[in-house]
Amino acid sequence: MTDVSMESAAPRGTLTTVDARTKKRNAAEKRFRAYGLTAIVIGLFFLVVLAVSIIRSGLPAFTQTVVEVEFTLTQEQFDEAESQLLKTKAYENIFIAALQSQLEQRGLNVAFDAAAIERLLGKTGGTIREYFRANPDRIGTPVSFELAASSRVDGYFKGRVTRDSVVDSRFLMVTDLDLVDALYDAGIIKSAFNWNFITGADTGVDNPGGAGIGVAVIGSFFMMLVVLVLSLPIGVAASIYLEEFAPKNWFTDLIEVNISNLAAVPSIVFGILGLAVFIQFMHLPQSAPLVGGLVLTLMTLPTIIISTRASLKAVPPSIREAALGVGASKMQTVFHHVLPLAAPGILTGTIIGLAQALGETAPLLLIGMVGYIARAYPEGVVSGFIDPNSAMPAQIYTWAARADAGFYEKAWGGIIILLLFLLTMNLIAIILRRRFERRW
Amino acid sequence: MPLFWLFLIVLAIAAGAYLLARSRVLSMAGDDRRALHSLPSYYGSNAAMKSAVPALLLLVAWLLAQPFIVDNAVSSLIPDAAIADNSSRALVMAEVRRTADGLDMAVASGGLTEALARSEGLDLDVATSSLQEAGAIVTSQLTEPVLAAAQQFRALNTIGARWMSVAVIIVALIGATWGIREASPAFRARNTVERGVRALLIAAASIAILTTLGIVLSLVFNTIEFFRLYPASEFFFGLSWAPSFSGRGGASDLGILPLLWGTFYISIVALLVAVPVGLFAAIYLSEYASPKVRAIAKPLLEVLAGIPTIVYGLFALLTVGPLLVRVFGDDGLGWMQAGTAVMTAGLVMGIMLIPFVSSLSDDIINAVPQAMRDGSYGLGATQSETIRQVVLPAALPGIVGAILLAASRAIGETMIVVLGAGAAARLSLNPFEAMTTVTAKIVSQLTGDADFASPEALVAFALGMTLFVITLGLNIFALYIVRKYREQYE
């Protein structure tokens, strides 16, 4: 038996030589550490992939392919065109002649017809006629027109449409692309910043090129106004009561349990609440920023209450005791001393809550903000609250759900704008926190 | 906007009451502030509070009650004969309401004069055409009872609005007078105002209860309504989901099991991504990382949590889906037909949940007392052995709680599955097939031109109820575990 025990005893290591078991343990240690590092790297990798795909797919939405043609319309041409039966057709012919001469000047000779121009640029005659009727003094002077190219031509330059994928249709023929290439070589087609995307309104399902997010931004703005005006005072009042006044009884416990549960209720359930209570029961208008704001207020309240309570708690009791000591009432202590000291923290929490509300989509689907096509800006402040509108995330969803791939680019572009807003709000919150943070 | 003006009038009365009460009490004390019980502004606030608060409460109550009273009054005017066989009183009332709105629009656009819109002699054809000109959505031909009811509806609403203004202003004035008369130096104004403020604070805190109540009631009532139209046993145990929107009352299969299966399958895939990555990230950040690495990596990971879910939805639909198709699709392994699948939605949802799991676990691992680690090191254990055999077992209940909270998040998540998971409800084991979830079906049943009386729309409330109960149960259980664990080491 002694032989067996002698054999099973592994050779013991010394301080200078490492035995097999220690080697194994050290290897396990290294592996474990590597798993952790890998997890972090995976997480950050996903973040980078997300950021890259947003930027790469979204940036094209901010540029627009335009055709720039400069020509002079003489008074005779104007009079002659106005006297014709098909006035816009006459203008279109003038435009085509101008384009032709510009191509010839650069020594390029490409044949094209009016139909091709219509496929590339839409109805040019109407735009030109509008311009000269509005600005009669420009007749006789050279005017440079920047006309937006159709969504498919735009897609050709951004790589969404290729020569292989083009099927001849009334929207675009393969031969048109030769003309497009020639115009590009001549410097007539170029890429310009797409202001319309930022300031414009949504278009119907068939015009991805002209769609803009401006109206939805305004819709979101009115919604956030409702959220701010309602959730800040209510949230602060509720937190003050719970933190400073509430006695320890079943009612207080009930409120506490409700707040912590509401913070975890899925957002879609708040949408159901909004639909049933605000729209079915109270008959408030569908798709209105007011209703969206009310629903988001209820969603944001728990966030604001939790952060407000944390900042009230951070104010040291000595402040309260000092105020009570010089004769202030409990209410005066809270409103004159504790609340001002907690204000920066409350503000930070509110901004973060608003940022969360700004990106929330699911409840807006249920109160009808998605089916609505936001074609025009609201007429005034009241109309901004109660007339149907879209909101940024709802608009992005609408675009993502449309069949035309041209809208995907818009959806990514919309996300860039949404994230810029969120980034700004969070930066403001961080700066406020840094600036006013106080250690007691 | 008369409501807005009414609101301003009440505020103006309150402001007037403030000034009057304040100056009254000061003059009674002969401008000697020391003779007053409270600061002068409290006497003013008392009067302002007494005029504004009851008046505004009355305003809100009136606005809530008036539609019911008017609806009831008008509804009793419609003879039973006017309700067609395939229709109901509620549908006719909706028509009446639309017609009344249309009359308002026609008056506003000048198509009708106010007097004509009210008169009994309003011709049906004239009314129909002027409504259509004003852009109102009405059926092609109005009927006599509907038009009469709509006129009555408008008349009652006008009367209601007028009486409301009168009543609210009178209440505000009475309150103001009361507050001003109370203002005398001996009156304990501060105590009264503080009691009022306290009541307002309690009311604000109670909104949380009201919200929960609103959620529960709106779910329960509509769910009961649904079960009246559709048997509950088929809803809970039905194996097929095939709503028909074309034939009203036609055969729709509304079984929840395929949806629940899709929900759980996607959540499981999401947790399979999020839990290992999140947990190891938390272990590395709390046990190994230098403060510098931690200060950079932790906020960066948490950026993932701050990104709106619509962004993840689009990421699933347009980036991850096509990418997976390239690998697993017909050109690759041939397992996947389209970009929308359980795998797509689960993977993206997992990414979203990583920071959620990691920051919760991080807190919990940090809460394990250092003494336990030191004891383990003292016995000669390496750092990884300490973590595996001491720290993790101690933190396990908390980590389980964190995972349950993440699961509840995954089950309630909407945008990712709406965009990334597909629309087909099926019971299948293949993770590369499209499936759908409870949340996605709530959205699809309630958007569009749904008729709220049909079981196909009402089923969304029953789905919402199921979702609410499941997530609530998970949350309560998880919070219970986390709290119990926290007490252990405090």
Side-chain angles (χ1 to χ4, degrees), chain A residues 25 29 37 39 47 50 53 241 258 264 268 272-273 276 281 329 331-332 359 361 365 397 400 408 412 415 422, chain B residues 42 68 190 194 202 209 212 214-215 218 277 284 288 308 310 314-315 318 380 382-385 418 443 447 475:
Chain A
R25 287 176 68 199
E29 172 72 30
L37 200 59
L47 183 64
L50 191 60
S53 72
Y241 176 71
N258 270 308
I268 186 97
I272 296 182
L273 169 79
F281 185 73
S329 71
M331 201 62 82
Q332 286 168 331
T361 322
L365 300 184
Y397 173 76
Y408 293 162
W412 285 115
I415 278 181
L422 293 185
Chain B
Y42 279 108
F68 287 96
R190 181 176 59 73
E194 288 185 352
I202 295 177
I209 301 181
T212 313
I215 290 177
S218 58
V277 176
Y284 188 82
Y288 288 106
I310 176 78
L314 211 63
F315 183 59
L318 299 178
T382 65
Q383 205 171 355
S384 68
E385 285 161 356
V418 165
V443 170
T447 50
N475 284 325

Side-chain angles (χ1 to χ4, degrees), chain A residues 328-333 335-336, chain B residues 18 21-22 25 36-50 179 182-183 187-195 197:
Chain A
S329 71
K330 183 91 178 124
M331 201 62 82
Q332 286 168 331
T333 307
F335 280 94
H336 296 175
Chain B
Y18 177 92
R22 190 175 180 278
V25 78
L36 300 175
H37 168 269
S38 316
L39 291 170
S41 61
Y42 279 108
Y43 294 92
S45 305
N46 178 44
M49 188 176 84
K50 281 185 171 142
E182 268 183 337
F187 178 61
R188 294 159 67 82
R190 181 176 59 73
N191 306 49
T192 317
V193 171
E194 288 185 352
R195 265 203 303 279
V197 172

